[in-house]
Amino acid sequence: MKVNGSDYRTIWMEPDGTVKMIHQNELPFRFRIFNSTDYSTTISAIRDMIVRGAGAIGVAAGFAMAQAFLQAEKEKKCADFILQAKAGIEHSRPTARNLFYATQKVFEAGLAGGADAAVFQAQQLAEEDMIMSAAIGQFGNELIRNNFKILTHCNAGRLAFVDHGSALAPIYEAHRSGKHVFVFVDETRPRSQGARLTAWELLQERIPFDIISDNAAGHFMKEGEIDIVITGADRIARNGDTANKIGTLEKAICAKYFGIPFYIAAPTPTFDLNCSSGIDIPIEERNTDEVLWQTGQTRHGNLNAVMVAAPGSTARNPAFDVTPAELITGIITEIGVIKPTGENITKLLNPS
Ligand code: MRU
């Protein structure tokens, strides 16, 4: 992606093993690169959402696993060190399937071929992430007609992957191919990934958009202002039930009611055949301070946290919800667009 005229990836690993990532907690107010020189710092970056979004979390997890192998080799650590690192990575954020996929791949590569093989595999996963996202853009573009108004939730854009994105990739491709598109950006409380990150990305791309409050989408659907909904996914079960950012379920129910196509965009590492349905998908519950407090920029340019609830309130903060397959029109993958049925998903993941 281009930022201030220079090319960036959301996350990458330097030859010396340092993992670099765009500091997403400081966007859109500051653009800064965060450096992590050891696997435990990379775990903290995933947990604290310096890097976030299923694709980018997966790549970060792969890099963290590779850093653990590098550290083990350098500091002559025993096998337990690697197993502890793996467990730590897997505990950092429990919902995104991509994290487990990447950790396991790099773990196996490292066991078989040592630190160099682990690093090679982690870099390979980062490259694949970009290739899959670009292909999702191509397939998704075919669903977008000229002058479409598109609703998206959270941030499933360049920042949620190494580049391109999932839900935003088709929008970028449509815009690039000369179609006029307009995006309704759900604010996406409590962390406001829509208002902060999706809006920031669309500004870079000069794609017109409006941020809407999280409870406004139903109104705009009823008024006939939304032609299609596209969101990302953190995990897709074998039957097509899909976990994504909290609030996605409500958008899908509204879209069904008003007859608006509702698409999920996700690469194949987001599918989890071990989950037979959405009931099996673990839902992360985050610190309730994210609901009770908001951080933003003051008129004087300082970043400040303010309380936005009655002092003494308690809260709940599930980070994701599950949209049943029956509410999903189709899933846009790097291989093509499928209807979310068990049969289609099994065929997609086991082509013969
Ligand atoms: O909590 P986040 O910001 O990591 O959640 C991100 C989302 O829910 C995205 O929509 C999802 O990861 C799909 S895009 C990779």
Side-chain angles (χ1 to χ4, degrees):
M1 74 190 90
K2 279 256 185 279
V3 184
N4 304 326
S6 300
D7 283 318
Y8 283 94
R9 292 180 172 198
T10 296
I11 180 163
W12 69 98
M13 187 188 236
E14 295 286 350
D16 70 354
T18 303
V19 178
K20 299 199 164 203
M21 59 196 93
I22 296 176
H23 198 316
Q24 299 196 38
N25 286 336
E26 298 195 356
L27 283 176
F29 308 112
R30 319 245 189 287
F31 181 79
R32 188 163 76 84
I33 302 301
F34 178 84
N35 294 339
S36 166
T37 53
D38 58 88
Y39 87 85
S40 50
T41 306
T42 306
I43 291 178
S44 303
I46 297 171
R47 197 184 45 235
D48 299 341
M49 295 177 64
I50 289 171
V51 62
R52 36 66 51 203
I57 289 172
V59 171
F63 284 151
M65 197 68 251
Q67 282 180 315
F69 277 101
L70 286 170
Q71 283 172 251
E73 223 160 74
K74 195 167 156 208
E75 296 161 24
K76 308 223 177 321
K77 303 274 193 199
C78 61
D80 271 1
F81 176 84
I82 291 293
L83 289 175
Q84 265 171 28
K86 182 169 184 280
I89 298 164
E90 290 176 340
H91 276 100
S92 59
R93 292 205 68 193
T95 302
R97 167 68 187 155
N98 311 53
L99 178 145
F100 297 89
Y101 172 86
T103 307
Q104 186 62 28
K105 283 245 173 204
V106 177
F107 175 70
E108 285 169 12
L111 283 191
D116 284 351
V119 171
F120 181 82
Q121 177 65 81
Q123 297 281 23
Q124 189 71 25
L125 288 169
E127 295 304 318
E128 285 168 12
D129 178 273
M130 294 228 297
I131 292 166
M132 289 186 290
S133 300
I136 286 171
Q138 305 276 347
F139 284 115
N141 179 22
E142 290 169 20
L143 304 169
I144 297 175
R145 292 212 291 274
N146 194 30
N147 293 319
F148 253 24
K149 292 184 177 170
I150 305 152
L151 175 76
T152 191
H153 191 67
C154 194
N155 172 267
R158 298 188 187 283
L159 293 164
F161 288 84
V162 175
D163 203 347
H164 303 294
S166 54
L168 294 189
I171 298 174
Y172 293 146
E173 198 50 35
H175 178 70
R176 203 192 56 76
S177 65
K179 293 176 197 166
H180 293 282
V181 288
F182 184 89
V183 187
F184 282 94
V185 177
D186 280 336
E187 176 190 24
T188 320
R189 281 275 287 142
R191 292 186 66 100
S192 303
Q193 290 96 327
R196 294 172 73 125
L197 305 177
T198 298
W200 181 81
E201 284 194 29
L202 294 174
L203 285 166
Q204 311 293 313
E205 302 283 334
R206 296 177 195 277
I207 294 176
F209 69 93
D210 280 333
I211 296 169
I212 59 172
S213 64
D214 281 330
N215 33 19
H219 166 76
F220 287 110
M221 288 187 193
K222 180 168 174 286
E223 295 295 305
E225 293 214 38
I226 291 169
D227 298 299
I228 189 171
V229 184
I230 312 180
T231 79
D234 282 80
R235 197 184 292 223
I236 302 173
R238 202 163 62 218
N239 71 344
D241 290 354
T242 295
N244 191 50
K245 181 51 56 193
I246 192 77
T248 304
L249 171 62
E250 283 181 10
K251 312 306 163 206
I253 293 169
C254 279
K256 183 80 168 182
Y257 184 81
F258 291 112
I260 296 166
F262 181 94
Y263 283 92
I264 294 286
T268 47
T270 306
F271 289 81
D272 186 356
L273 294 184
N274 295 321
C275 292
S276 58
S277 76
I279 292 171
D280 299 329
I281 301 178
I283 299 295
E284 175 184 13
E285 282 229 21
R286 293 186 61 84
N287 194 308
T288 54
D289 277 0
E290 292 183 352
V291 175
L292 302 172
W293 293 78
Q294 283 279 278
T295 302
Q297 182 163 282
T298 66
R299 287 184 202 284
H300 306 292
N302 304 316
L303 285 188
N304 263 357
V306 291
M307 190 172 235
V308 291
S313 301
T314 54
R316 293 287 301 273
N317 187 18
F320 302 97
D321 57 27
V322 174
T323 299
E326 69 200 72
L327 300 181
I328 300 168
T329 312
I331 305 178
I332 310 163
T333 75
E334 77 277 14
I335 302 170
V337 182
I338 58 160
K339 288 235 165 295
T341 65
E343 198 187 335
N344 288 344
I345 290 171
T346 310
K347 221 185 285 168
L348 180 85
L349 300 182
N350 302 297
S352 52

